[in-house]
Amino acid sequence: MKRILPILAMVCGSVLMQEPGHGAAHAQSTSPFAPVIMVNDLGITAFEIEQRMKFMALLRQSGDLRAEAEKALIEDRLRESAARQAGITLSQEGLEQGMAEFASRGKMTTEQFVQELGKGGVEAQTFRDFVRAGLLWRETIRAKYANRIRITATDIDRAMLVESARGQTTRVLISEIIIPAPPGQEAEAMAAARRASTASGDASFSALARELSATESAPRGGHLDWMEISNMPPALRSVILGLKPGQASAPMEIPNAVAVFMLRSIDEGGKAPASAQTLEYARFVVGPAGIADSARQVAEIEARIDRCDDLYGVAKGLPEDRLIRETQPQGAIPQDIAIALASMDINETRALQRGANTELVMLCKREKTVAEGETAPSREEIGQRLSNERLNAYSESDMADLLAGAVIVRP
C-alpha cells in the first residue's frame, strides 16, 4: 500500500448518480446505498462518502476527511451534470487510458493499483468513478474555453525567463491577498478573489488586501519585501513573470485558501548562479485556527526561538505530530507553505492557517541544487503549460459558479 502514497490526488471524484425514490427517507436509515446528500436532485450515498474517505487516506490527504470527501463528491455531481448538459461523453478506452495514467504516477499498472486500493478497502468502482468525473470535467472545460486561449510568442518568452539564468536571478516586489476558504465557503472566497484580481494599481490592490486578506501582510496593504524569483515555488514564478507592474494575477487555489498577487516592481539585474532549490523547513502546530489567543501563542513561541533546532525545546513533551521538520525540492512543497517560504530568510517564521490549525512555519535551510540530466523545457512545452494554467483558472471559476447556484440538501 505504501506504493500509492507518492501519487498526487487530482481534482476529480466519484460520479455514481442516483435518482431519489419514493422510499428514500426510509432507506436512508437502513441502507448505506441510500442518498444522504442531494445535489440538484442527484444523490450521494453514505457508502460513497466512506469510500472516498478511505481513498483520500491512502493518498495521504490531510484535514477533515469526511468534510473533504463530501465536498469532492458534491463537486463531482456538478461536474457530471455540466458535462451531460454540454453533450460531453467519455469512451471506455478513454476511461481506461485515464486510469492507467493515474496508476502510472505510482509506477504501477491499473491492475496493480486497484489491488493496492483493495488492501485499503477501496472498491475498483470508486477509482473508476474518481477518474471518470475528472476526465469529463476536463473535456467540458476544454470544449468551452480552448478556442478563447491565445498563447503568444511574448507570453512564452516571458515564461521562459523562469527557466533561464536571467529569470532565476530576477528580484520582484509583489503584494499578496490570501483569502481563507474553509469548507462550505469556497464559492464566497473565490468570488472575493476574482474581485481582487480585477484591481489595477497598488492603491486599489492595497485597499482590498486590508479588507480581504488574512495574512500578517494585510495591514501593510499586502506588501512583501524584495524577493528572488528563484525563491518562489515554480508554479508562482511563471504567474508573476507574466504580469506587468500594477497588474494582479488570476485567483490561485492553495490549501484552504485562494490567493491573488500583484507585481509592483521588477529588477532583472541579479548575478547569482541559476539553479533549482531544496528547502529544509519546520512546521509547529500551534492549535486550532481562530482561537483568540493564537496570536499570543505564536508571539510567545517566536520569542523563544532563534533557529529551527530551538523548536524541539518548545515541542518537548508534546505529541510527535506537533512538530514536523522536512527537506523537500521546491516544487514538492505544499503551495501555501512554498509561497510563505519564498519571502523568508533563514530562521525567519510565519504563521499560517492550515485546515483547522494555526501552524508556525520556519525556514531552516535553502540550498541550490541541479538535478542530473535536467534540461530546460521547449517552447512548445511552455506554451502547453501556460494553456493548461489558463484552462485551470476557467475550471476553478466555473466550479465556483456551479457551487453558488447548486441546491444542496441533506435529507
Side-chain angles (χ1 to χ4, degrees):
M1 193 180 304
K2 290 182 179 179
R3 302 171 66 192
I4 296 178
L5 300 181
I7 303 177
L8 296 176
M10 61 184 180
V11 184
C12 54
S14 170
V15 294
L16 193 60
M17 297 188 181
Q18 301 181 30
E19 294 292 339
H22 294 294
H26 173 71
Q28 180 181 346
S29 63
T30 60
S31 172
F33 300 102
V36 294
I37 301 176
M38 302 300 297
V39 185
N40 294 341
D41 296 326
L42 300 174
I44 297 172
T45 69
F47 177 76
E48 290 178 279
I49 295 171
E50 292 297 327
Q51 282 283 295
R52 181 56 67 88
M53 289 172 64
K54 292 178 180 179
F55 192 37
M56 288 176 165
L58 290 177
L59 295 173
R60 276 190 173 176
Q61 182 162 340
S62 60
D64 185 338
L65 292 188
R66 178 167 293 278
E68 291 299 319
E70 292 181 1
K71 174 179 178 291
L73 289 167
I74 287 170
E75 291 180 353
D76 286 345
R77 293 298 185 268
L78 297 175
R79 292 183 179 105
E80 284 278 342
S81 180
R84 187 167 56 251
Q85 292 177 15
I88 303 298
T89 59
L90 181 65
S91 68
Q92 183 62 28
E93 180 182 6
L95 175 59
E96 291 175 355
Q97 289 177 349
M99 294 171 66
E101 189 278 331
F102 191 88
S104 70
R105 301 179 192 181
K107 299 182 180 180
M108 286 182 276
T109 65
T110 301
E111 292 73 19
Q112 290 170 332
F113 186 67
V114 169
Q115 289 176 3
E116 293 294 324
L117 289 176
K119 295 176 184 178
V122 178
E123 301 282 345
Q125 187 63 44
T126 296
F127 175 46
R128 189 173 293 111
D129 293 342
F130 172 83
V131 174
R132 180 188 291 114
L135 293 176
L136 283 170
W137 180 246
R138 183 182 68 184
E139 293 307 313
T140 300
I141 294 298
R142 284 181 175 174
K144 184 175 181 180
Y145 294 110
N147 290 336
R148 303 186 190 183
I149 296 174
R150 296 289 184 270
I151 305 298
T152 67
T154 301
D155 293 331
I156 295 175
D157 289 339
R158 187 177 293 119
M160 287 185 72
L161 291 174
V162 175
E163 315 301 339
S164 68
R166 175 172 175 250
Q168 291 187 343
T169 59
T170 295
R171 295 193 313 156
V172 292
L173 269 178
I174 64 173
S175 298
E176 64 176 5
I177 294 178
I178 310 294
I179 303 169
Q185 298 181 32
E186 295 88 348
E188 293 86 344
M190 182 58 71
R194 288 202 295 268
R195 176 184 165 203
S197 70
T198 64
S200 179
D202 181 51
S204 175
F205 193 87
S206 294
L208 288 171
R210 294 185 181 95
E211 174 188 349
L212 303 172
S213 190
T215 67
E216 59 191 22
S217 66
R220 305 191 302 271
H223 285 196
L224 299 176
D225 293 331
W226 284 101
M227 70 176 72
E228 296 285 341
I229 198 72
S230 58
N231 290 352
M232 294 182 175
L236 182 57
R237 295 179 200 168
S238 59
V239 171
I240 297 301
L241 289 175
L243 300 175
K244 299 176 181 179
Q247 181 182 9
S249 72
M252 295 178 59
E253 284 193 349
I254 59 177
N256 305 299
V258 185
V260 181
F261 300 91
M262 172 171 281
L263 176 65
R264 301 191 340 256
S265 185
I266 186 167
D267 171 18
E268 298 176 336
K271 302 298 183 182
S275 65
Q277 293 186 1
T278 297
L279 305 182
E280 181 181 351
Y281 61 96
R283 295 162 43 213
F284 183 82
V285 180
V286 177
I291 298 297
D293 63 348
S294 288
R296 177 185 58 78
Q297 293 182 52
V298 167
E300 289 177 353
I301 295 170
E302 289 177 327
R304 294 175 58 187
I305 59 176
D306 295 313
R307 55 196 181 100
C308 287
D309 288 348
D310 295 338
L311 284 168
Y312 291 110
V314 178
K316 186 176 181 179
L318 298 176
E320 291 184 359
D321 60 359
R322 291 287 297 277
L323 175 60
I324 303 99
R325 191 162 176 171
E326 301 175 297
T327 300
Q328 296 194 73
Q330 201 170 34
I333 299 172
Q335 190 82 331
D336 57 335
I337 296 177
I339 290 171
L341 293 173
S343 60
M344 291 163 59
D345 292 326
I346 304 301
N347 295 326
E348 282 192 338
T349 61
R350 184 166 181 180
L352 301 178
Q353 289 192 1
R354 309 197 75 233
N357 292 313
T358 295
E359 292 187 9
L360 186 66
V361 178
M362 189 171 199
L363 179 61
C364 309
K365 185 185 298 183
R366 187 191 301 277
E367 295 183 339
K368 296 186 177 182
T369 58
V370 178
E372 292 185 9
E374 185 177 348
T375 58
S378 66
R379 293 182 66 85
E380 181 179 354
E381 290 171 334
I382 290 177
Q384 185 60 54
R385 186 184 70 193
L386 293 174
S387 179
N388 289 338
E389 289 173 356
R390 296 185 187 181
L391 284 172
N392 186 58
Y394 282 124
S395 170
E396 294 170 353
S397 177
D398 274 21
M399 178 52 63
D401 290 341
L402 290 174
L403 284 168
V407 178
I408 301 173
V409 179
R410 299 176 186 270

mmCIF file with all atom_site columns, all heavy atoms in Angstrom, residues 297-314:
data_model
loop_
_atom_site.group_PDB
_atom_site.id
_atom_site.type_symbol
_atom_site.label_atom_id
_atom_site.label_alt_id
_atom_site.label_comp_id
_atom_site.label_asym_id
_atom_site.label_entity_id
_atom_site.label_seq_id
_atom_site.pdbx_PDB_ins_code
_atom_site.Cartn_x
_atom_site.Cartn_y
_atom_site.Cartn_z
_atom_site.occupancy
_atom_site.B_iso_or_equiv
_atom_site.pdbx_formal_charge
_atom_site.auth_seq_id
_atom_site.auth_comp_id
_atom_site.auth_asym_id
_atom_site.auth_atom_id
_atom_site.pdbx_PDB_model_num
ATOM 1   N N   . GLN A 1 297 ? 0.037  32.973 21.439 1.00 0.00 ? 297 GLN A N   1
ATOM 2   C CA  . GLN A 1 297 ? 0.862  31.760 21.485 1.00 0.00 ? 297 GLN A CA  1
ATOM 3   C C   . GLN A 1 297 ? 1.983  31.826 20.456 1.00 0.00 ? 297 GLN A C   1
ATOM 4   O O   . GLN A 1 297 ? 3.126  31.455 20.742 1.00 0.00 ? 297 GLN A O   1
ATOM 5   C CB  . GLN A 1 297 ? -0.006 30.528 21.232 1.00 0.00 ? 297 GLN A CB  1
ATOM 6   C CG  . GLN A 1 297 ? -1.013 30.236 22.336 1.00 0.00 ? 297 GLN A CG  1
ATOM 7   C CD  . GLN A 1 297 ? -1.805 28.980 22.043 1.00 0.00 ? 297 GLN A CD  1
ATOM 8   O OE1 . GLN A 1 297 ? -1.255 27.921 21.773 1.00 0.00 ? 297 GLN A OE1 1
ATOM 9   N NE2 . GLN A 1 297 ? -3.121 29.092 22.089 1.00 0.00 ? 297 GLN A NE2 1
ATOM 10  N N   . VAL A 1 298 ? 1.661  32.294 19.250 1.00 0.00 ? 298 VAL A N   1
ATOM 11  C CA  . VAL A 1 298 ? 2.684  32.410 18.209 1.00 0.00 ? 298 VAL A CA  1
ATOM 12  C C   . VAL A 1 298 ? 3.775  33.366 18.656 1.00 0.00 ? 298 VAL A C   1
ATOM 13  O O   . VAL A 1 298 ? 4.975  33.095 18.510 1.00 0.00 ? 298 VAL A O   1
ATOM 14  C CB  . VAL A 1 298 ? 2.046  32.887 16.883 1.00 0.00 ? 298 VAL A CB  1
ATOM 15  C CG1 . VAL A 1 298 ? 3.130  33.314 15.891 1.00 0.00 ? 298 VAL A CG1 1
ATOM 16  C CG2 . VAL A 1 298 ? 1.177  31.784 16.278 1.00 0.00 ? 298 VAL A CG2 1
ATOM 17  N N   . ALA A 1 299 ? 3.382  34.516 19.224 1.00 0.00 ? 299 ALA A N   1
ATOM 18  C CA  . ALA A 1 299 ? 4.368  35.503 19.672 1.00 0.00 ? 299 ALA A CA  1
ATOM 19  C C   . ALA A 1 299 ? 5.264  34.932 20.770 1.00 0.00 ? 299 ALA A C   1
ATOM 20  O O   . ALA A 1 299 ? 6.477  35.178 20.796 1.00 0.00 ? 299 ALA A O   1
ATOM 21  C CB  . ALA A 1 299 ? 3.656  36.762 20.171 1.00 0.00 ? 299 ALA A CB  1
ATOM 22  N N   . GLU A 1 300 ? 4.672  34.149 21.674 1.00 0.00 ? 300 GLU A N   1
ATOM 23  C CA  . GLU A 1 300 ? 5.458  33.551 22.759 1.00 0.00 ? 300 GLU A CA  1
ATOM 24  C C   . GLU A 1 300 ? 6.468  32.544 22.216 1.00 0.00 ? 300 GLU A C   1
ATOM 25  O O   . GLU A 1 300 ? 7.613  32.482 22.675 1.00 0.00 ? 300 GLU A O   1
ATOM 26  C CB  . GLU A 1 300 ? 4.522  32.874 23.762 1.00 0.00 ? 300 GLU A CB  1
ATOM 27  C CG  . GLU A 1 300 ? 3.701  33.855 24.591 1.00 0.00 ? 300 GLU A CG  1
ATOM 28  C CD  . GLU A 1 300 ? 2.736  33.139 25.519 1.00 0.00 ? 300 GLU A CD  1
ATOM 29  O OE1 . GLU A 1 300 ? 2.618  31.891 25.409 1.00 0.00 ? 300 GLU A OE1 1
ATOM 30  O OE2 . GLU A 1 300 ? 2.101  33.814 26.353 1.00 0.00 ? 300 GLU A OE2 1
ATOM 31  N N   . ILE A 1 301 ? 6.049  31.755 21.233 1.00 0.00 ? 301 ILE A N   1
ATOM 32  C CA  . ILE A 1 301 ? 6.965  30.772 20.638 1.00 0.00 ? 301 ILE A CA  1
ATOM 33  C C   . ILE A 1 301 ? 8.086  31.473 19.889 1.00 0.00 ? 301 ILE A C   1
ATOM 34  O O   . ILE A 1 301 ? 9.268  31.126 20.026 1.00 0.00 ? 301 ILE A O   1
ATOM 35  C CB  . ILE A 1 301 ? 6.195  29.824 19.703 1.00 0.00 ? 301 ILE A CB  1
ATOM 36  C CG1 . ILE A 1 301 ? 5.205  28.978 20.499 1.00 0.00 ? 301 ILE A CG1 1
ATOM 37  C CG2 . ILE A 1 301 ? 7.158  28.916 18.926 1.00 0.00 ? 301 ILE A CG2 1
ATOM 38  C CD1 . ILE A 1 301 ? 4.238  28.194 19.636 1.00 0.00 ? 301 ILE A CD1 1
ATOM 39  N N   . GLU A 1 302 ? 7.731  32.505 19.111 1.00 0.00 ? 302 GLU A N   1
ATOM 40  C CA  . GLU A 1 302 ? 8.754  33.230 18.352 1.00 0.00 ? 302 GLU A CA  1
ATOM 41  C C   . GLU A 1 302 ? 9.786  33.871 19.284 1.00 0.00 ? 302 GLU A C   1
ATOM 42  O O   . GLU A 1 302 ? 10.963 33.971 18.933 1.00 0.00 ? 302 GLU A O   1
ATOM 43  C CB  . GLU A 1 302 ? 8.085  34.282 17.467 1.00 0.00 ? 302 GLU A CB  1
ATOM 44  C CG  . GLU A 1 302 ? 7.317  33.687 16.289 1.00 0.00 ? 302 GLU A CG  1
ATOM 45  C CD  . GLU A 1 302 ? 6.611  34.739 15.460 1.00 0.00 ? 302 GLU A CD  1
ATOM 46  O OE1 . GLU A 1 302 ? 6.176  35.762 16.042 1.00 0.00 ? 302 GLU A OE1 1
ATOM 47  O OE2 . GLU A 1 302 ? 6.473  34.545 14.246 1.00 0.00 ? 302 GLU A OE2 1
ATOM 48  N N   . ALA A 1 303 ? 9.342  34.295 20.457 1.00 0.00 ? 303 ALA A N   1
ATOM 49  C CA  . ALA A 1 303 ? 10.269 34.921 21.409 1.00 0.00 ? 303 ALA A CA  1
ATOM 50  C C   . ALA A 1 303 ? 11.254 33.905 21.979 1.00 0.00 ? 303 ALA A C   1
ATOM 51  O O   . ALA A 1 303 ? 12.327 34.286 22.465 1.00 0.00 ? 303 ALA A O   1
ATOM 52  C CB  . ALA A 1 303 ? 9.484  35.578 22.538 1.00 0.00 ? 303 ALA A CB  1
ATOM 53  N N   . ARG A 1 304 ? 10.917 32.622 21.911 1.00 0.00 ? 304 ARG A N   1
ATOM 54  C CA  . ARG A 1 304 ? 11.764 31.577 22.498 1.00 0.00 ? 304 ARG A CA  1
ATOM 55  C C   . ARG A 1 304 ? 12.738 30.955 21.498 1.00 0.00 ? 304 ARG A C   1
ATOM 56  O O   . ARG A 1 304 ? 13.612 30.186 21.902 1.00 0.00 ? 304 ARG A O   1
ATOM 57  C CB  . ARG A 1 304 ? 10.885 30.462 23.086 1.00 0.00 ? 304 ARG A CB  1
ATOM 58  C CG  . ARG A 1 304 ? 10.037 30.873 24.263 1.00 0.00 ? 304 ARG A CG  1
ATOM 59  C CD  . ARG A 1 304 ? 9.128  29.741 24.694 1.00 0.00 ? 304 ARG A CD  1
ATOM 60  N NE  . ARG A 1 304 ? 9.885  28.518 25.043 1.00 0.00 ? 304 ARG A NE  1
ATOM 61  C CZ  . ARG A 1 304 ? 9.310  27.347 25.323 1.00 0.00 ? 304 ARG A CZ  1
ATOM 62  N NH1 . ARG A 1 304 ? 7.985  27.242 25.306 1.00 0.00 ? 304 ARG A NH1 1
ATOM 63  N NH2 . ARG A 1 304 ? 10.055 26.295 25.629 1.00 0.00 ? 304 ARG A NH2 1
ATOM 64  N N   . ILE A 1 305 ? 12.578 31.263 20.214 1.00 0.00 ? 305 ILE A N   1
ATOM 65  C CA  . ILE A 1 305 ? 13.375 30.548 19.211 1.00 0.00 ? 305 ILE A CA  1
ATOM 66  C C   . ILE A 1 305 ? 14.201 31.511 18.364 1.00 0.00 ? 305 ILE A C   1
ATOM 67  O O   . ILE A 1 305 ? 13.755 32.609 18.029 1.00 0.00 ? 305 ILE A O   1
ATOM 68  C CB  . ILE A 1 305 ? 12.489 29.682 18.290 1.00 0.00 ? 305 ILE A CB  1
ATOM 69  C CG1 . ILE A 1 305 ? 11.450 30.537 17.555 1.00 0.00 ? 305 ILE A CG1 1
ATOM 70  C CG2 . ILE A 1 305 ? 11.792 28.585 19.094 1.00 0.00 ? 305 ILE A CG2 1
ATOM 71  C CD1 . ILE A 1 305 ? 10.597 29.770 16.563 1.00 0.00 ? 305 ILE A CD1 1
ATOM 72  N N   . ASP A 1 306 ? 15.404 31.084 18.029 1.00 0.00 ? 306 ASP A N   1
ATOM 73  C CA  . ASP A 1 306 ? 16.264 31.821 17.107 1.00 0.00 ? 306 ASP A CA  1
ATOM 74  C C   . ASP A 1 306 ? 16.593 31.000 15.873 1.00 0.00 ? 306 ASP A C   1
ATOM 75  O O   . ASP A 1 306 ? 16.997 31.543 14.854 1.00 0.00 ? 306 ASP A O   1
ATOM 76  C CB  . ASP A 1 306 ? 17.568 32.227 17.798 1.00 0.00 ? 306 ASP A CB  1
ATOM 77  C CG  . ASP A 1 306 ? 17.340 33.220 18.929 1.00 0.00 ? 306 ASP A CG  1
ATOM 78  O OD1 . ASP A 1 306 ? 16.602 34.201 18.707 1.00 0.00 ? 306 ASP A OD1 1
ATOM 79  O OD2 . ASP A 1 306 ? 17.883 32.991 20.024 1.00 0.00 ? 306 ASP A OD2 1
ATOM 80  N N   . ARG A 1 307 ? 16.474 29.676 15.992 1.00 0.00 ? 307 ARG A N   1
ATOM 81  C CA  . ARG A 1 307 ? 16.760 28.783 14.869 1.00 0.00 ? 307 ARG A CA  1
ATOM 82  C C   . ARG A 1 307 ? 15.852 27.562 14.975 1.00 0.00 ? 307 ARG A C   1
ATOM 83  O O   . ARG A 1 307 ? 15.193 27.345 16.002 1.00 0.00 ? 307 ARG A O   1
ATOM 84  C CB  . ARG A 1 307 ? 18.235 28.378 14.876 1.00 0.00 ? 307 ARG A CB  1
ATOM 85  C CG  . ARG A 1 307 ? 18.718 27.765 16.150 1.00 0.00 ? 307 ARG A CG  1
ATOM 86  C CD  . ARG A 1 307 ? 20.237 27.748 16.260 1.00 0.00 ? 307 ARG A CD  1
ATOM 87  N NE  . ARG A 1 307 ? 20.685 27.132 17.507 1.00 0.00 ? 307 ARG A NE  1
ATOM 88  C CZ  . ARG A 1 307 ? 21.113 25.870 17.601 1.00 0.00 ? 307 ARG A CZ  1
ATOM 89  N NH1 . ARG A 1 307 ? 21.142 25.103 16.506 1.00 0.00 ? 307 ARG A NH1 1
ATOM 90  N NH2 . ARG A 1 307 ? 21.492 25.372 18.747 1.00 0.00 ? 307 ARG A NH2 1
ATOM 91  N N   . CYS A 1 308 ? 15.840 26.758 13.928 1.00 0.00 ? 308 CYS A N   1
ATOM 92  C CA  . CYS A 1 308 ? 14.901 25.642 13.872 1.00 0.00 ? 308 CYS A CA  1
ATOM 93  C C   . CYS A 1 308 ? 15.093 24.653 15.018 1.00 0.00 ? 308 CYS A C   1
ATOM 94  O O   . CYS A 1 308 ? 14.120 24.102 15.534 1.00 0.00 ? 308 CYS A O   1
ATOM 95  C CB  . CYS A 1 308 ? 15.022 24.916 12.532 1.00 0.00 ? 308 CYS A CB  1
ATOM 96  S SG  . CYS A 1 308 ? 14.312 25.838 11.141 1.00 0.00 ? 308 CYS A SG  1
ATOM 97  N N   . ASP A 1 309 ? 16.342 24.407 15.411 1.00 0.00 ? 309 ASP A N   1
ATOM 98  C CA  . ASP A 1 309 ? 16.599 23.458 16.488 1.00 0.00 ? 309 ASP A CA  1
ATOM 99  C C   . ASP A 1 309 ? 15.920 23.859 17.793 1.00 0.00 ? 309 ASP A C   1
ATOM 100 O O   . ASP A 1 309 ? 15.610 23.009 18.638 1.00 0.00 ? 309 ASP A O   1
ATOM 101 C CB  . ASP A 1 309 ? 18.105 23.296 16.718 1.00 0.00 ? 309 ASP A CB  1
ATOM 102 C CG  . ASP A 1 309 ? 18.782 22.514 15.597 1.00 0.00 ? 309 ASP A CG  1
ATOM 103 O OD1 . ASP A 1 309 ? 18.063 21.909 14.761 1.00 0.00 ? 309 ASP A OD1 1
ATOM 104 O OD2 . ASP A 1 309 ? 20.025 22.501 15.556 1.00 0.00 ? 309 ASP A OD2 1
ATOM 105 N N   . ASP A 1 310 ? 15.685 25.157 17.974 1.00 0.00 ? 310 ASP A N   1
ATOM 106 C CA  . ASP A 1 310 ? 15.053 25.622 19.211 1.00 0.00 ? 310 ASP A CA  1
ATOM 107 C C   . ASP A 1 310 ? 13.612 25.124 19.334 1.00 0.00 ? 310 ASP A C   1
ATOM 108 O O   . ASP A 1 310 ? 13.067 25.060 20.442 1.00 0.00 ? 310 ASP A O   1
ATOM 109 C CB  . ASP A 1 310 ? 15.069 27.150 19.276 1.00 0.00 ? 310 ASP A CB  1
ATOM 110 C CG  . ASP A 1 310 ? 16.479 27.717 19.364 1.00 0.00 ? 310 ASP A CG  1
ATOM 111 O OD1 . ASP A 1 310 ? 17.392 26.973 19.782 1.00 0.00 ? 310 ASP A OD1 1
ATOM 112 O OD2 . ASP A 1 310 ? 16.669 28.891 19.005 1.00 0.00 ? 310 ASP A OD2 1
ATOM 113 N N   . LEU A 1 311 ? 12.992 24.776 18.206 1.00 0.00 ? 311 LEU A N   1
ATOM 114 C CA  . LEU A 1 311 ? 11.612 24.306 18.239 1.00 0.00 ? 311 LEU A CA  1
ATOM 115 C C   . LEU A 1 311 ? 11.486 22.972 18.971 1.00 0.00 ? 311 LEU A C   1
ATOM 116 O O   . LEU A 1 311 ? 10.402 22.641 19.471 1.00 0.00 ? 311 LEU A O   1
ATOM 117 C CB  . LEU A 1 311 ? 11.056 24.179 16.817 1.00 0.00 ? 311 LEU A CB  1
ATOM 118 C CG  . LEU A 1 311 ? 10.684 25.489 16.126 1.00 0.00 ? 311 LEU A CG  1
ATOM 119 C CD1 . LEU A 1 311 ? 10.424 25.262 14.648 1.00 0.00 ? 311 LEU A CD1 1
ATOM 120 C CD2 . LEU A 1 311 ? 9.458  26.116 16.789 1.00 0.00 ? 311 LEU A CD2 1
ATOM 121 N N   . TYR A 1 312 ? 12.578 22.200 19.039 1.00 0.00 ? 312 TYR A N   1
ATOM 122 C CA  . TYR A 1 312 ? 12.499 20.934 19.759 1.00 0.00 ? 312 TYR A CA  1
ATOM 123 C C   . TYR A 1 312 ? 12.250 21.174 21.242 1.00 0.00 ? 312 TYR A C   1
ATOM 124 O O   . TYR A 1 312 ? 11.557 20.385 21.910 1.00 0.00 ? 312 TYR A O   1
ATOM 125 C CB  . TYR A 1 312 ? 13.780 20.129 19.548 1.00 0.00 ? 312 TYR A CB  1
ATOM 126 C CG  . TYR A 1 312 ? 13.935 19.628 18.134 1.00 0.00 ? 312 TYR A CG  1
ATOM 127 C CD1 . TYR A 1 312 ? 14.911 20.157 17.294 1.00 0.00 ? 312 TYR A CD1 1
ATOM 128 C CD2 . TYR A 1 312 ? 13.106 18.644 17.637 1.00 0.00 ? 312 TYR A CD2 1
ATOM 129 C CE1 . TYR A 1 312 ? 15.062 19.708 15.986 1.00 0.00 ? 312 TYR A CE1 1
ATOM 130 C CE2 . TYR A 1 312 ? 13.237 18.185 16.334 1.00 0.00 ? 312 TYR A CE2 1
ATOM 131 C CZ  . TYR A 1 312 ? 14.219 18.723 15.512 1.00 0.00 ? 312 TYR A CZ  1
ATOM 132 O OH  . TYR A 1 312 ? 14.337 18.277 14.217 1.00 0.00 ? 312 TYR A OH  1
ATOM 133 N N   . GLY A 1 313 ? 12.802 22.261 21.767 1.00 0.00 ? 313 GLY A N   1
ATOM 134 C CA  . GLY A 1 313 ? 12.535 22.602 23.158 1.00 0.00 ? 313 GLY A CA  1
ATOM 135 C C   . GLY A 1 313 ? 11.088 22.996 23.369 1.00 0.00 ? 313 GLY A C   1
ATOM 136 O O   . GLY A 1 313 ? 10.477 22.637 24.378 1.00 0.00 ? 313 GLY A O   1
ATOM 137 N N   . VAL A 1 314 ? 10.513 23.735 22.415 1.00 0.00 ? 314 VAL A N   1
ATOM 138 C CA  . VAL A 1 314 ? 9.102  24.123 22.507 1.00 0.00 ? 314 VAL A CA  1
ATOM 139 C C   . VAL A 1 314 ? 8.207  22.897 22.452 1.00 0.00 ? 314 VAL A C   1
ATOM 140 O O   . VAL A 1 314 ? 7.184  22.814 23.154 1.00 0.00 ? 314 VAL A O   1
ATOM 141 C CB  . VAL A 1 314 ? 8.747  25.098 21.367 1.00 0.00 ? 314 VAL A CB  1
ATOM 142 C CG1 . VAL A 1 314 ? 7.267  25.472 21.435 1.00 0.00 ? 314 VAL A CG1 1
ATOM 143 C CG2 . VAL A 1 314 ? 9.610  26.351 21.447 1.00 0.00 ? 314 VAL A CG2 1
#
